[in-house]
Amino acid sequence: TNAQSPAKYWVQFKDKSGTPYAIDRPQEFLSPRAIELREKHHIAIQENDLPVNPAYVRQVLALDSSMRLFTRSKWLNGITIYCEKDSILNEILQLPFVAYAERTIPMKEPEGDAMEPYRFDAAAPVVLSEMEGLLDQNELDYGNTKEQIQLNNAHWLHRMGFHGERMQLMILDGGFINADTLHYFQKLRDDNRLLGVRNLVTADENPFRKHTHGTMVLSCIASYVPGELVGTAPMVQVFLCQTEDSRSENKIEEDNWVAGVELADSLGCQMLNSSLGYIKFDDSTQVRVYADMNGEKSRAAQAATIAASKGMLICNAAGNSGDEAWKYMGSPADARDILTVGAVDVQGTKAPFSSFGPTADGRVKPDACAVGYATYLASVRGKSIRSFGTSFASPVLCGMVACLWQAFPDKSNYEIMDAVRQSGNQFAKPDSALGYGIPDFLKAYNILKQPQPASFTVDFDSFEVDENGTVSVEISDPNATFIIKGEKGDIQPKIQKLHFTIDDVESDIVKYVIQFPKADKKKMYELYELEVKCQNETLRYTIGREK
């Protein structure tokens, strides 16, 4: 008899010929919401959206009686299977339709037969409820999270009424212990915004019963306990999916990750947070080097970039290797067309552990930074605690991005990501430590608000009124005019014009210092609309003023 060596394998197919699925029948493999989002953003259904050919799957499974199907990938055209037979890899590779196969986890013990898969689904449709516990003027009472939200100016999005309503995001993680009972998620559950939970690692185990990491990540986004802990998108709708197997670190987890991202796509999630990354594996035959961090080598990075082409926006933690010999981001943080998130403290100083860029092919990473050093979040025992890791910077940013995209639902994921990068405080001079730096979400909002591009340049120092009651802007037009639209009507502000000289030559750029009216002492904050007219174009900006 054959020696038993239980293991899981990735099996990739050459094609999808003979598949029973068709591009013009997407309802067989995508949800109505997913199809609607594709149509809205003019994203065609393509061959890589078709599920793997079931006939190929059947022929692989017929090779041995111990074989079981785990996950499948449409985009990469492959499956993960479990088998106990020693020589099975050679048999799989001999099948004429198999392009590639490899062992992704050697297992110490045989896996028991999978029982009924665990599923949690929201019991009823989402309730779009009001937020209780607000201070005046719709001001959220953030409690401990105030500073980590204000560092990125995301509180201005909340003030404008964007808290993540109607946005759907998936969190891929290692388990979500007590997320079904903790009071931080009471409002999430009461509104039926916890849409569903799946386990792609051990299908029959309840992800609410093991592992703390995913619960902490979820709390950065979706907590709502006014005066104590408020997440960055407290009204967002969430799916939770376990893809990480904390028992070991193996390539199988990247294939679980791919299956999780494809699940998010088929459900119609616009966004995904992954506070996961893969560098070293327990299997010594699977070695990664820095040259592999090019966005193309790992299957997770490949799938992340395909997900972007399908309209999804992924936030992925950069990694916590910044103070180790490796020092670089892991994968899929190296992927193209995602936001890789580095960690800073509430002062904006880099966390020593936050992994460095660039990618092996020279792309700037991280794409954005948020608070991941002493981040306030929920512990699984029901207390607010401070914790450390790019694992928390990523969801803090992810929730903010959900609010931004909510404000501009017709923009593509690429346009939203570009605005976030351009709003970074290091956008003009990115480096390998913080990449494009710390995004300013009031600036990102104003970037997206413009009918691009204007025939002149407009560059604000800040979109917030300073302590002198002024806002400064540099414009390549000496005849710009300004109107402030406040609650009491239109105001033509006092303007100071400063001309620049560079090497004794007068520059084309003029700096305008715009004087705003006296602050209303009764208000916690004010929002103004500033109209800038140049040539025959009118641009409108949203300007904030703190008390």
Side-chain angles (χ1 to χ4, degrees):
T1 58
N2 270 335
Q4 269 209 340
S5 43
K8 288 179 186 166
Y9 301 86
W10 163 254
V11 183
Q12 199 156 357
F13 302 132
K14 287 178 180 168
D15 55 54
K16 290 184 177 175
S17 61
T19 177
Y21 299 99
I23 286 166
D24 56 8
R25 297 198 310 278
Q27 62 282 2
E28 293 172 21
F29 47 88
L30 293 175
S31 68
R33 181 180 164 104
I35 294 168
E36 189 186 320
L37 283 169
R38 296 277 183 107
E39 286 169 355
K40 175 178 174 175
H41 292 291
H42 312 294
I43 298 165
I45 312 277
Q46 295 171 298
E47 188 183 297
N48 69 358
D49 288 304
L50 301 177
V52 291
N53 186 343
Y56 292 169
V57 178
R58 281 193 298 273
Q59 288 178 69
V60 173
L61 294 178
L63 290 175
D64 190 74
S65 60
S66 71
M67 212 182 265
R68 288 210 305 276
L69 177 65
F70 266 78
T71 56
R72 44 189 122 198
S73 167
K74 310 183 272 199
W75 297 341
L76 306 183
N77 196 17
I79 56 175
T80 289
I81 54 113
Y82 164 81
C83 190
E84 293 169 8
K85 190 174 176 182
D86 204 14
S87 56
I88 197 69
L89 192 57
N90 294 332
E91 292 181 44
I92 293 168
L93 287 165
Q94 277 158 22
L95 292 169
F97 50 84
V98 169
Y100 174 76
E102 66 174 345
R103 183 180 70 176
T104 53
I105 179 168
M107 303 179 77
K108 295 179 182 72
E109 302 287 320
E111 288 250 321
D113 281 332
M115 303 299 186
E116 191 59 32
Y118 175 82
R119 283 185 76 123
F120 168 89
D121 292 293
V126 169
V127 180
L128 285 167
S129 66
E130 293 302 306
M131 305 189 74
E132 300 93 25
L134 297 170
L135 303 169
D136 349 322
Q137 264 188 294
N138 290 331
E139 178 76 345
L140 289 172
D141 186 2
Y142 293 110
N144 293 320
T145 54
K146 185 173 181 174
E147 288 182 300
Q148 66 202 41
I149 288 174
Q150 289 186 341
L151 178 71
N152 295 90
N153 257 346
H155 57 301
W156 288 109
L157 297 179
H158 295 166
R159 287 165 169 178
M160 289 184 238
F162 305 113
H163 312 101
E165 290 87 347
R166 297 184 183 80
M167 296 294 293
Q168 289 187 3
L169 70 82
M170 181 177 279
I171 297 175
L172 301 186
D173 218 287
F176 305 90
I177 196 166
N178 296 346
D180 56 340
T181 54
L182 283 171
H183 68 290
Y184 297 103
F185 310 123
Q186 190 68 46
K187 182 151 180 58
L188 179 72
R189 295 189 303 264
D190 288 351
D191 293 348
N192 300 317
R193 289 183 288 109
L194 183 54
L195 300 175
V197 183
R198 299 287 183 275
N199 190 337
L200 298 179
V201 180
T202 40
D204 53 351
E205 281 187 7
N206 178 347
F208 289 136
R209 294 295 156 263
K210 272 191 186 164
H211 311 304
T212 59
H213 189 267
T215 307
M216 294 159 78
V217 167
L218 173 64
S219 74
C220 296
I221 300 173
S223 290
Y224 190 65
V225 178
E228 187 195 339
L229 201 74
V230 176
T232 48
M235 296 295 276
V236 78
Q237 302 175 23
V238 190
F239 284 98
L240 305 176
C241 184
Q242 182 173 341
T243 61
E244 168 75 9
D245 186 344
S246 54
R247 295 173 297 186
S248 61
E249 192 76 344
N250 276 288
K251 249 185 164 175
I252 176 87
E253 295 175 81
E254 287 195 324
D255 296 328
N256 297 342
W257 193 93
V258 173
V261 174
E262 290 190 24
L263 175 62
D265 167 70
S266 66
L267 290 166
C269 294
Q270 293 118 308
M271 293 191 63
L272 182 134
N273 184 77
S274 154
S275 292
L276 302 169
Y278 303 99
I279 302 166
K280 301 181 185 77
F281 298 110
D282 299 345
D283 181 345
S284 58
T285 64
Q286 301 281 8
V287 178
R288 282 238 161 109
V289 292
Y290 174 63
D292 295 334
M293 297 295 151
N294 59 7
E296 286 167 23
K297 181 88 179 181
S298 97
R299 287 191 286 275
Q302 291 168 27
T305 303
I306 296 170
S309 75
K310 306 298 180 191
M312 196 187 300
L313 197 161
I314 296 178
C315 295
N316 203 101
N320 300 333
S321 305
D323 47 9
E324 296 168 13
W326 167 270
K327 97 171 193 176
Y328 297 108
M329 75 259 115
S331 193
D334 64 327
R336 291 168 197 280
D337 305 328
I338 70 167
L339 293 177
T340 297
V341 188
V344 292
D345 65 15
V346 289
Q347 270 79 48
T349 308
K350 181 183 181 292
F353 54 76
S354 187
S355 290
F356 288 81
T359 60
D361 56 323
R363 283 171 293 118
V364 171
K365 291 283 175 182
D367 295 87
C369 296
V371 175
Y373 186 94
T375 312
Y376 273 104
L377 45 75
S379 82
V380 299
R381 296 193 173 85
K383 298 246 184 312
S384 285
I385 58 168
R386 301 180 92 163
S387 198
F388 297 80
T390 57
S391 276
F392 309 124
S394 185
V396 165
L397 188 95
C398 186
M400 296 173 182
V401 177
C403 298
L404 180 67
W405 202 356
Q406 178 194 357
F408 297 97
D410 297 332
K411 297 284 187 189
S412 75
N413 54 331
Y414 297 104
E415 290 171 302
I416 300 293
M417 288 189 281
D418 279 344
V420 171
R421 293 184 190 108
Q422 285 170 38
S423 77
N425 66 341
Q426 299 192 158
F427 180 68
K429 281 198 189 134
D431 63 22
S432 62
L434 296 180
Y436 295 118
I438 300 164
D440 170 347
F441 279 83
L442 185 56
K443 181 173 185 176
Y445 178 89
N446 277 303
I447 289 169
L448 290 162
K449 197 170 153 152
Q450 304 318 312
Q452 299 294 30
S455 52
F456 45 88
T457 62
V458 181
D459 191 14
F460 281 81
D461 285 4
S462 165
F463 291 95
E464 289 182 280
V465 179
D466 66 15
E467 56 275 13
N468 306 317
T470 64
V471 165
S472 301
V473 58
E474 293 172 15
I475 302 183
S476 60
D477 183 333
N479 306 309
T481 59
F482 303 89
I483 292 173
I484 296 170
K485 292 184 168 302
E487 284 176 18
K488 300 193 173 87
D490 295 0
I491 302 163
Q492 289 202 309
K494 291 196 187 73
I495 303 289
Q496 188 187 0
K497 276 168 80 164
L498 306 168
H499 289 267
F500 289 100
T501 51
I502 298 167
D503 298 333
D504 299 331
V505 179
E506 192 161 297
S507 153
D508 293 337
I509 292 182
V510 180
K511 182 167 192 168
Y512 296 88
V513 180
I514 304 158
Q515 185 70 47
F516 277 69
K518 278 199 164 59
D520 184 338
K521 296 262 189 314
K522 294 200 254 334
K523 296 203 166 150
M524 299 188 78
Y525 64 88
E526 291 175 87
L527 279 161
Y528 304 94
E529 183 102 336
L530 178 66
E531 280 193 356
V532 182
K533 278 201 167 77
C534 300
Q535 295 140 35
N536 290 320
E537 292 173 79
T538 304
L539 302 181
R540 292 178 182 84
Y541 297 91
T542 298
I543 306 293
R545 179 188 234 162
E546 292 287 356
K547 188 168 179 176

